[in-house]
Amino acid sequence: MRVQILSVLAVVSAAVNAQSSTVVPAPEVTGNSVGTVYAAILPEKEDSTVRGSIYAYPASNGTGVRFSVSISGLPAEGGPFMYHLHEKPVPSDGNCSGTGAHLDPYKRGEVPACDASMPETCQTGDLSGKYGNITSQEWTQEYVDLYSALRTDSVAYFGNLSVVVHLSDKKRIACANFTLAAAMDPIRTISSGFALPTSSGVSNTTVPSPTGGVPISPSSSSSSSPTSLPESNGAAGKFVSGTVAIFAVAVALVL
Ligand SMILES: *[C@@H]1O[C@H](CO)[C@@H](O)[C@H](O)[C@H]1NC(C)=O
Ligand SMILES: *[C@@H]1O[C@H](CO)[C@@H](O)[C@H](O)[C@H]1NC(C)=O
Ligand SMILES: *[C@@H]1O[C@H](CO)[C@@H](O)[C@H](O)[C@H]1NC(C)=O
Ligand SMILES: *[C@@H]1O[C@H](CO)[C@@H](O)[C@H](O)[C@H]1NC(C)=O
Ligand SMILES: *[C@@H]1O[C@H](CO)[C@@H](O)[C@H](O)[C@H]1NC(C)=O
Ligand SMILES: *[C@@H]1O[C@H](CO)[C@@H](O)[C@H](O)[C@H]1NC(C)=O
Ligand SMILES: [Cu+2]
């Protein structure tokens, strides 16, 4: 009996150890090529100078998501700043506490800390852990994260979630929902667009507005691009909600 109990304990403790020391790597998310552009635009609050946006595009080869980060007005003290995809949207009152924890669909947890040399082992939403903290008051950066999804059928989908910017002590200083900025429409071909903020030429004057247009990356801005973007997110948003409404009516009729 004692031997049995001991061996059960050994198995349990081995399992616990395995769980805490082995991080299951996140899979790369393929099939992001067709779809949509999402944007998180930090709200302009009177009591904060922080402004900016994070655009999320399907990676050009379909694997992962290309993030374009542009943030300005960060405080002189309190850095380096961290930012993450969080697991819940921002409540309507704008309180960043309501966004919950980091997006962590594979339940890796907070510890051990993300090792940027093995980004697949980090929490999916830990963008600053994987690609670096924000170390100045103005920041632009672009990168592809292979583990994020714009496909709604992936657990790593964040298009209806949020991004949160933190001080070094984790205090939440800004947050925004991601929203659909444009649905890519292969039929229409509009080649005009904003230039993306680039890593050279940091600017605090122009943050692309979600209603003013959609920035198009240097790599996809040529007129031969097979994809295109409608002029305003209003149209895309109406189209989507219209589709949802039709679907809801259809469901109602069936039921
Ligand atoms: C897609 O491009 C990324 C770099 O942006 C690369 O790491 C990845 O292996 C590529 N995937 C495929 C399937 O080609
Ligand atoms: C964020 O999105 C959620 C869900 O769509 C919505 O309820 C909430 O009001 C939005 N938050 C803000 C600050 O717009
Ligand atoms: C934000 O929400 C948290 C709890 O979620 C609460 O403790 C805090 O007082 C709220 N802040 C404001 C400004 O309402
Ligand atoms: C976001 O969308 C996904 C896929 O449609 C869904 O499973 C998830 O519940 C949604 N999350 C929130 C917070 O709305
Ligand atoms: C980012 O800053 C936090 C807080 O200061 C720190 O714990 C973390 O190690 C930093 N991450 C990187 C990748 O430098
Ligand atoms: C941009 O930043 C520079 C220096 O950081 C400042 O002098 C300038 O007034 C800022 N412009 C705007 C529009 O905030
Ligand atoms: Cu966070």
Side-chain angles (χ1 to χ4, degrees):
M1 186 61 186
R2 181 178 296 167
V3 170
Q4 275 174 338
I5 289 171
L6 285 179
S7 56
V8 165
L9 283 178
V11 167
V12 167
S13 114
V16 168
N17 283 340
Q19 197 173 27
S20 57
S21 63
T22 310
V23 172
V24 177
E28 295 183 3
V29 178
T30 58
N32 276 322
S33 53
V34 179
T36 47
V37 179
Y38 286 84
I41 312 293
L42 298 176
E44 305 206 354
K45 291 189 172 169
E46 276 178 17
D47 60 353
S48 169
T49 56
V50 181
R51 302 285 182 268
S53 61
I54 295 181
Y55 278 82
Y57 306 84
S60 53
N61 68 4
T63 302
V65 171
R66 184 162 52 90
F67 287 94
S68 178
V69 180
S70 177
I71 297 178
S72 66
L74 288 160
E77 309 286 329
F81 309 98
M82 299 173 283
Y83 63 103
H84 319 108
L85 308 176
H86 276 235
E87 64 181 358
K88 293 178 189 170
V90 180
S92 52
D93 67 1
N95 187 338
C96 297
S97 301
T99 59
H102 301 161
L103 178 60
D104 184 21
Y106 308 109
K107 305 294 174 215
R108 165 220 196 271
E110 292 284 323
V111 286
C114 168
D115 176 351
S117 70
M118 296 186 292
E120 70 280 7
T121 66
C122 298
Q123 292 179 311
T124 305
D126 190 0
L127 297 180
S128 57
K130 290 187 271 190
Y131 306 104
N133 285 333
I134 297 176
T135 53
S136 64
Q137 288 177 265
E138 294 180 21
W139 190 258
T140 61
Q141 188 182 8
E142 207 174 308
Y143 48 81
V144 171
D145 181 68
L146 299 174
Y147 318 101
S148 291
L150 294 177
R151 294 168 50 153
T152 55
D153 62 353
S154 166
V155 291
Y157 173 68
F158 62 91
N160 55 358
L161 304 178
S162 61
V163 64
V164 178
V165 181
H166 302 256
L167 297 181
S168 163
D169 68 3
K170 297 189 179 172
K171 183 176 177 225
R172 301 177 182 203
I173 54 169
C175 57
N177 279 342
F178 278 96
T179 56
L180 191 63
M184 289 188 171
D185 179 345
I187 296 165
R188 296 166 69 191
T189 50
I190 298 162
S191 59
S192 64
F194 281 41
L196 266 187
T198 54
S199 42
S200 61
V202 171
S203 167
N204 56 349
T205 55
T206 51
V207 172
S209 140
T211 51
V214 171
I216 296 182
S217 71
S219 61
S220 69
S221 63
S222 83
S223 54
S224 64
S225 168
T227 57
S228 65
L229 303 165
E231 310 88 306
S232 88
N233 73 329
K238 276 177 199 131
F239 173 75
V240 169
S241 51
T243 309
V244 170
I246 290 167
F247 181 69
V249 168
V251 168
L253 289 177
V254 167
L255 291 179

